[in-house]
Amino acid sequence: MKTAILPLAVCLSACLAPIAAMAHPHIFAEARMEIIEGADGNVQEVRNIWRFDEMFSASVVLDYDKNSDAKLDKEELAEIGATVHESLAEFSYYTFITQNGKQVDFGKPDAIHVDYKDNQVLMFFSVKPKAPLLAKGTLTFGAWDPTLYTAIDFAKDSDIVIKGTHLAACKHKVVRPDPDEIIAQNQSNLTDAFFNDPTGTDMTKLFATRMELTC
């Protein structure tokens, strides 16, 4: 069983549960998100690009480099993508979309594409709403791991991109919650949430960077 990718899925292996229960990030990824407008002016798809830290990437190479050539070949990259594609379904592919506060359902990505460049693993995929997602009301788009095992960071506001003239015309802003304020405002709830389920709570979203559109 491959252990390098399993932490990304959090609890596929019981042996990882004690580690995940520590409830702080062990894997770090720099992210880019692209919100794509369709021909009808509504949201067609959301694209994700993740670049993982070198330590995690090295562990992936160690576990998936079958021919021991110190790199990841096409077949090895495809195996990683297939593993992540299956395992992250339980966690909404770390992708969260809401419209007027209600979660938007989307289908599984067609595939998780994986590359390895400059000693770092990269993953690319897109999700599409199951029902037409009208550019109406308040829409939010973000990426985070509900279990806190993986930290997904948008280093710059420009790492969350809107592509399409109609969507771009909506009022939009990148929201970066202040952790100290969130903790102060939700201290009791955060404590209860941790003890009830330290590896996965809805409280994680309070800290997450997100794009907010008002159309």
Side-chain angles (χ1 to χ4, degrees), residues 193-208:
F194 177 81
F195 283 108
N196 288 333
D197 184 1
T199 63
T201 77
D202 286 339
M203 306 304 291
T204 314
K205 64 185 178 184
L206 297 177
F207 299 91

PDB file of all heavy atoms in Angstrom, residues 193-208:
ATOM      1  N   ALA A 193     -15.576  21.325  18.497  1.00  0.00           N
ATOM      2  CA  ALA A 193     -15.416  20.653  17.209  1.00  0.00           C
ATOM      3  C   ALA A 193     -14.182  19.766  17.216  1.00  0.00           C
ATOM      4  O   ALA A 193     -14.194  18.649  16.692  1.00  0.00           O
ATOM      5  CB  ALA A 193     -15.314  21.688  16.086  1.00  0.00           C
ATOM      6  N   PHE A 194     -13.106  20.250  17.836  1.00  0.00           N
ATOM      7  CA  PHE A 194     -11.873  19.464  17.859  1.00  0.00           C
ATOM      8  C   PHE A 194     -12.058  18.177  18.646  1.00  0.00           C
ATOM      9  O   PHE A 194     -11.681  17.094  18.208  1.00  0.00           O
ATOM     10  CB  PHE A 194     -10.725  20.272  18.457  1.00  0.00           C
ATOM     11  CG  PHE A 194      -9.449  19.468  18.563  1.00  0.00           C
ATOM     12  CD1 PHE A 194      -8.633  19.301  17.463  1.00  0.00           C
ATOM     13  CD2 PHE A 194      -9.097  18.854  19.750  1.00  0.00           C
ATOM     14  CE1 PHE A 194      -7.479  18.545  17.544  1.00  0.00           C
ATOM     15  CE2 PHE A 194      -7.941  18.090  19.840  1.00  0.00           C
ATOM     16  CZ  PHE A 194      -7.131  17.939  18.729  1.00  0.00           C
ATOM     17  N   PHE A 195     -12.674  18.271  19.813  1.00  0.00           N
ATOM     18  CA  PHE A 195     -12.829  17.081  20.636  1.00  0.00           C
ATOM     19  C   PHE A 195     -13.865  16.117  20.062  1.00  0.00           C
ATOM     20  O   PHE A 195     -13.778  14.912  20.258  1.00  0.00           O
ATOM     21  CB  PHE A 195     -13.195  17.467  22.071  1.00  0.00           C
ATOM     22  CG  PHE A 195     -12.012  17.957  22.862  1.00  0.00           C
ATOM     23  CD1 PHE A 195     -11.892  19.297  23.195  1.00  0.00           C
ATOM     24  CD2 PHE A 195     -11.002  17.087  23.243  1.00  0.00           C
ATOM     25  CE1 PHE A 195     -10.784  19.758  23.904  1.00  0.00           C
ATOM     26  CE2 PHE A 195      -9.895  17.535  23.948  1.00  0.00           C
ATOM     27  CZ  PHE A 195      -9.786  18.866  24.291  1.00  0.00           C
ATOM     28  N   ASN A 196     -14.850  16.644  19.331  1.00  0.00           N
ATOM     29  CA  ASN A 196     -15.835  15.773  18.702  1.00  0.00           C
ATOM     30  C   ASN A 196     -15.247  15.034  17.514  1.00  0.00           C
ATOM     31  O   ASN A 196     -15.542  13.867  17.282  1.00  0.00           O
ATOM     32  CB  ASN A 196     -17.057  16.582  18.248  1.00  0.00           C
ATOM     33  CG  ASN A 196     -17.899  17.035  19.425  1.00  0.00           C
ATOM     34  OD1 ASN A 196     -17.913  16.401  20.472  1.00  0.00           O
ATOM     35  ND2 ASN A 196     -18.617  18.147  19.255  1.00  0.00           N
ATOM     36  N   ASP A 197     -14.431  15.715  16.730  1.00  0.00           N
ATOM     37  CA  ASP A 197     -13.828  15.105  15.543  1.00  0.00           C
ATOM     38  C   ASP A 197     -12.595  15.899  15.150  1.00  0.00           C
ATOM     39  O   ASP A 197     -12.663  16.786  14.301  1.00  0.00           O
ATOM     40  CB  ASP A 197     -14.822  15.065  14.386  1.00  0.00           C
ATOM     41  CG  ASP A 197     -14.260  14.334  13.162  1.00  0.00           C
ATOM     42  OD1 ASP A 197     -13.112  13.854  13.249  1.00  0.00           O
ATOM     43  OD2 ASP A 197     -14.956  14.245  12.144  1.00  0.00           O
ATOM     44  N   PRO A 198     -11.430  15.593  15.736  1.00  0.00           N
ATOM     45  CA  PRO A 198     -10.227  16.393  15.482  1.00  0.00           C
ATOM     46  C   PRO A 198      -9.692  16.254  14.074  1.00  0.00           C
ATOM     47  O   PRO A 198      -8.870  17.046  13.644  1.00  0.00           O
ATOM     48  CB  PRO A 198      -9.229  15.834  16.503  1.00  0.00           C
ATOM     49  CG  PRO A 198      -9.697  14.441  16.781  1.00  0.00           C
ATOM     50  CD  PRO A 198     -11.196  14.501  16.690  1.00  0.00           C
ATOM     51  N   THR A 199     -10.126  15.241  13.305  1.00  0.00           N
ATOM     52  CA  THR A 199      -9.577  15.037  11.972  1.00  0.00           C
ATOM     53  C   THR A 199     -10.456  15.585  10.866  1.00  0.00           C
ATOM     54  O   THR A 199     -10.113  15.482   9.703  1.00  0.00           O
ATOM     55  CB  THR A 199      -9.341  13.535  11.717  1.00  0.00           C
ATOM     56  OG1 THR A 199     -10.599  12.855  11.752  1.00  0.00           O
ATOM     57  CG2 THR A 199      -8.423  12.943  12.772  1.00  0.00           C
ATOM     58  N   GLY A 200     -11.578  16.157  11.188  1.00  0.00           N
ATOM     59  CA  GLY A 200     -12.407  16.695  10.115  1.00  0.00           C
ATOM     60  C   GLY A 200     -13.645  17.391  10.643  1.00  0.00           C
ATOM     61  O   GLY A 200     -14.566  16.759  11.119  1.00  0.00           O
ATOM     62  N   THR A 201     -13.655  18.701  10.574  1.00  0.00           N
ATOM     63  CA  THR A 201     -14.815  19.446  11.027  1.00  0.00           C
ATOM     64  C   THR A 201     -15.129  20.524  10.005  1.00  0.00           C
ATOM     65  O   THR A 201     -14.311  20.873   9.162  1.00  0.00           O
ATOM     66  CB  THR A 201     -14.547  20.135  12.382  1.00  0.00           C
ATOM     67  OG1 THR A 201     -13.742  21.285  12.157  1.00  0.00           O
ATOM     68  CG2 THR A 201     -13.850  19.213  13.354  1.00  0.00           C
ATOM     69  N   ASP A 202     -16.334  21.057  10.094  1.00  0.00           N
ATOM     70  CA  ASP A 202     -16.718  22.138   9.208  1.00  0.00           C
ATOM     71  C   ASP A 202     -16.064  23.457   9.610  1.00  0.00           C
ATOM     72  O   ASP A 202     -16.205  24.452   8.906  1.00  0.00           O
ATOM     73  CB  ASP A 202     -18.235  22.304   9.221  1.00  0.00           C
ATOM     74  CG  ASP A 202     -18.937  21.203   8.456  1.00  0.00           C
ATOM     75  OD1 ASP A 202     -18.282  20.576   7.612  1.00  0.00           O
ATOM     76  OD2 ASP A 202     -20.127  20.968   8.706  1.00  0.00           O
ATOM     77  N   MET A 203     -15.360  23.462  10.741  1.00  0.00           N
ATOM     78  CA  MET A 203     -14.774  24.704  11.219  1.00  0.00           C
ATOM     79  C   MET A 203     -13.591  25.147  10.360  1.00  0.00           C
ATOM     80  O   MET A 203     -13.234  26.313  10.339  1.00  0.00           O
ATOM     81  CB  MET A 203     -14.333  24.556  12.676  1.00  0.00           C
ATOM     82  CG  MET A 203     -15.429  24.054  13.626  1.00  0.00           C
ATOM     83  SD  MET A 203     -16.918  25.083  13.590  1.00  0.00           S
ATOM     84  CE  MET A 203     -16.327  26.581  14.357  1.00  0.00           C
ATOM     85  N   THR A 204     -12.980  24.200   9.653  1.00  0.00           N
ATOM     86  CA  THR A 204     -11.816  24.531   8.830  1.00  0.00           C
ATOM     87  C   THR A 204     -12.112  25.642   7.846  1.00  0.00           C
ATOM     88  O   THR A 204     -11.257  26.490   7.563  1.00  0.00           O
ATOM     89  CB  THR A 204     -11.349  23.281   8.063  1.00  0.00           C
ATOM     90  OG1 THR A 204     -11.298  22.176   8.955  1.00  0.00           O
ATOM     91  CG2 THR A 204      -9.983  23.508   7.441  1.00  0.00           C
ATOM     92  N   LYS A 205     -13.318  25.656   7.300  1.00  0.00           N
ATOM     93  CA  LYS A 205     -13.672  26.634   6.275  1.00  0.00           C
ATOM     94  C   LYS A 205     -13.625  28.059   6.808  1.00  0.00           C
ATOM     95  O   LYS A 205     -13.468  29.007   6.021  1.00  0.00           O
ATOM     96  CB  LYS A 205     -15.062  26.339   5.725  1.00  0.00           C
ATOM     97  CG  LYS A 205     -16.196  26.467   6.741  1.00  0.00           C
ATOM     98  CD  LYS A 205     -17.521  26.038   6.150  1.00  0.00           C
ATOM     99  CE  LYS A 205     -18.656  26.124   7.161  1.00  0.00           C
ATOM    100  NZ  LYS A 205     -19.924  25.621   6.608  1.00  0.00           N
ATOM    101  N   LEU A 206     -13.731  28.240   8.119  1.00  0.00           N
ATOM    102  CA  LEU A 206     -13.683  29.591   8.673  1.00  0.00           C
ATOM    103  C   LEU A 206     -12.336  30.254   8.424  1.00  0.00           C
ATOM    104  O   LEU A 206     -12.238  31.474   8.357  1.00  0.00           O
ATOM    105  CB  LEU A 206     -13.968  29.554  10.179  1.00  0.00           C
ATOM    106  CG  LEU A 206     -15.354  29.058  10.607  1.00  0.00           C
ATOM    107  CD1 LEU A 206     -15.446  29.016  12.126  1.00  0.00           C
ATOM    108  CD2 LEU A 206     -16.451  29.960  10.046  1.00  0.00           C
ATOM    109  N   PHE A 207     -11.289  29.438   8.320  1.00  0.00           N
ATOM    110  CA  PHE A 207      -9.937  29.962   8.156  1.00  0.00           C
ATOM    111  C   PHE A 207      -9.500  30.028   6.688  1.00  0.00           C
ATOM    112  O   PHE A 207      -8.426  30.546   6.402  1.00  0.00           O
ATOM    113  CB  PHE A 207      -8.941  29.076   8.927  1.00  0.00           C
ATOM    114  CG  PHE A 207      -9.204  29.022  10.403  1.00  0.00           C
ATOM    115  CD1 PHE A 207     -10.020  28.038  10.949  1.00  0.00           C
ATOM    116  CD2 PHE A 207      -8.625  29.937  11.260  1.00  0.00           C
ATOM    117  CE1 PHE A 207     -10.255  27.975  12.308  1.00  0.00           C
ATOM    118  CE2 PHE A 207      -8.862  29.894  12.636  1.00  0.00           C
ATOM    119  CZ  PHE A 207      -9.683  28.905  13.162  1.00  0.00           C
ATOM    120  N   ALA A 208     -10.303  29.504   5.789  1.00  0.00           N
ATOM    121  CA  ALA A 208      -9.862  29.302   4.411  1.00  0.00           C
ATOM    122  C   ALA A 208      -9.967  30.563   3.565  1.00  0.00           C
ATOM    123  O   ALA A 208     -10.955  31.304   3.634  1.00  0.00           O
ATOM    124  CB  ALA A 208     -10.675  28.174   3.773  1.00  0.00           C
TER     125      ALA A 208
END
